Every structure is written in C-alpha cells, then in structure tokens.
Amino acid sequence: MTDTEPLPRTFARAEDGTALAFQRRGAGFPLVLLAGQANNHHWWDGIREDFHGTHSTITLDHRGTGASDKPQGGYSTRQFAEDVITVLDHLGIGRADVYGTSMGGRVAQLVAARHPRRVRRLVLGCTTPGGPHAVERDASVRRALAQPDPEAARRALIDLMYSPAWRAAHPGPYNTLGDPAMPPHARRGHLLASNRHDAWDALPAITAPTLILHGDQDRMAPPDNVSLLASRIPDTRTHLFPGARHAYFEECRTEASALAVAFLGGEV
C-alpha cells in the first residue's frame, strides 16, 4: 500500500505515510488495547470482549505486523505511541483509556506521558520502564529465546508465557507467540524498539490514574519492575497474580479483566 492510494476505512495514515490497520469493536467509552512485541491485534482475541459491557475496544496492528505496512525502518516505542495517536485522531477520539501489555505496555507509557490529555485511565501489564533502571530478564531467558531451532525457541516462549498447569488444561493454539507473517526486517525492528525503550524520565509526566498488573512468576519482565514503575508514575495501584507468568491477562483472565474493568470504571 503506497501513501498515494486511498485507504480502506479500517486504516489510518501516519505522518511518514505508513498505513496502520485498526479494529474497533463494541460500544462505550474508547479503550485502546496494545499488544506485545512482534504481535498483531489477535493478541487480544477472546479478551477484548470482557470490556464491551462498558467500552468500545480499539486494537491496531503495530507497524510491521498484521495488515499494517511494514516499512524498512522507523521502529521505536515512541513511533508506536505516535501511531496510537494517529489512529485516535483518525477516529475523532479526543480521550481514551489505554491498556498495554508487554511491549504494548511500554508503548502505553509513552502515549500517556507524551499526550497526557489524551489518556483518561491507564493499565500497564507485564511491562518495564526499560533502560538502565529496569530489571531485565536473565541471560538464560535470552538464550532460550535465541535457540537456532525454531521449534525449541517456540516451546521456550510458551513456557515463559504460561504456567505448566494452565498449559496442560489449555493446549493452544496461543495468540501471543508472534505474528508468523512478519518479514525478518520488521521482526528485527520490533526487537530493537523494545530493547531501546527507556521511559524512566518520562514516567512522572503521566497524569492518568494507573493500574499495574503483573504475574509474580514472570521471567520475561521480572516483577521487580512493578515497584519501579509505581515509584515513577504519580497515581498508581498495583496487583500481582500468584503463579502467573508473562501472559497473566490470559491465564488469569477472569480476575485480571475484572480488575481492569473495575479500575477503568473508577471503582478501584
């Protein structure tokens, strides 16, 4: 898709010409749901419906994923955050709630910090502030994900996302393992964007009340990052899910969605 072609109604155009695919469902106050690194909007399949009693949900395919354009460069969490604003502007939405998980949580931090008037309430899940202040995953996690055998790396990722007990009861398929259609350059761009994220200095600019959710057995984004984020964002409350790993929002869906709905409704 070129920047001279007319866009379908479900696309917005970023300033650099990139076409951004988005999906809006339900009715009510807008809630933007942001997926993790190298994932498209299907990350939220089966979960977004939990919010439709109070919100309309808006997902987007990060540039490089799904139906969005896949430019050779320009990948950063700051750019992803500006892409969110592009979609909101396209839809004529002045203010929304935002819920981001994993790299989507990093993007959500910058949406709320750089555009505080656009975010009413903020939920950050299984994420970190990035940069030298963050508690990073240990080397064994990085080695497991970088195995040359794709199937071994996939099994390692599933183990990092879900507890053994939950996997035994839910054998898949899983929506959180990455967009298989991503070209290699976009996958590398997402990895660099996440690795280079550093919102430490920006976090105090967040004015939206914030809920931080995290699995207490998360090795992808160690739970020590919860207190770091809470120390920098002025108005926060936190919740840890015992026994949950990175994909707490799916494994602990009933409790996690209920907490988020209550918070977004001003009940927490």
Side-chain angles (χ1 to χ4, degrees):
M1 192 177 299
T2 69
D3 59 9
T4 59
E5 291 180 281
L7 290 176
R9 292 178 62 188
T10 53
F11 286 78
R13 181 84 70 188
E15 284 191 6
D16 66 357
T18 299
L20 304 168
F22 64 87
Q23 308 78 29
R24 190 172 190 179
R25 307 283 186 272
F29 193 79
L31 168 63
V32 179
L33 299 170
L34 297 173
Q37 175 188 316
N39 280 269
N40 58 38
H41 72 278
H42 290 298
W43 176 278
W44 292 102
D45 285 359
I47 299 168
R48 68 188 305 163
E49 293 81 3
D50 297 343
F51 298 93
H52 287 165
T54 55
H55 288 73
S56 63
T57 57
I58 301 161
T59 51
L60 64 150
D61 293 337
H62 295 300
R63 58 176 60 212
T65 73
S68 291
D69 283 348
K70 300 163 181 67
Q72 288 294 323
Y75 296 95
S76 69
T77 52
R78 177 173 288 195
Q79 180 61 67
F80 294 146
E82 295 309 308
D83 290 345
V84 173
I85 298 300
T86 293
V87 169
L88 292 179
D89 287 347
H90 177 86
L91 291 169
I93 295 171
R95 205 162 185 234
D97 292 335
V98 178
Y99 183 178
T101 47
S102 197
M103 188 192 77
R106 294 182 169 199
V107 176
Q109 294 164 30
L110 294 179
V111 173
R114 291 170 58 82
H115 303 276
R117 295 183 180 179
R118 306 298 295 269
V119 180
R120 185 181 72 167
R121 285 187 167 239
L122 176 68
V123 183
L124 301 176
C126 53
T127 194
T128 85
H133 294 94
V135 178
E136 293 297 330
R137 64 192 66 165
D138 64 41
S140 65
V141 172
R142 296 183 182 277
R143 287 195 298 270
L145 294 175
Q147 295 179 78
D149 178 356
E151 183 56 32
R154 179 180 179 275
R155 289 195 300 269
L157 178 57
I158 293 172
D159 183 62
L160 290 163
M161 299 297 282
Y162 307 102
S163 71
W166 196 85
R167 294 200 309 270
H170 303 83
Y174 305 110
N175 295 320
T176 56
L177 306 183
D179 182 346
M182 282 183 78
H185 75 267
R187 195 172 296 277
R188 288 193 298 271
H190 272 238
L191 178 62
L192 287 173
S194 191
N195 287 346
R196 291 172 176 170
H197 175 78
D198 183 357
W200 189 258
D201 291 337
L203 292 174
I206 294 176
T207 58
T210 302
L211 174 65
I212 302 171
L213 303 175
H214 216 103
D216 74 350
Q217 300 300 309
D218 190 343
R219 296 177 62 211
M220 290 273 280
D224 285 348
N225 287 289
V226 172
S227 59
L228 293 175
L229 287 167
S231 74
R232 298 292 287 173
I233 301 172
D235 182 5
T236 60
R237 59 279 290 146
T238 66
H239 185 88
L240 291 174
F241 297 94
R245 300 187 178 184
H246 198 55
Y248 76 86
F249 50 91
E250 189 173 2
E251 181 162 345
C252 304
R253 173 184 170 181
T254 299
E255 184 182 2
S257 291
L259 280 170
V261 167
F263 170 74
L264 295 173
E267 300 172 24
V268 177

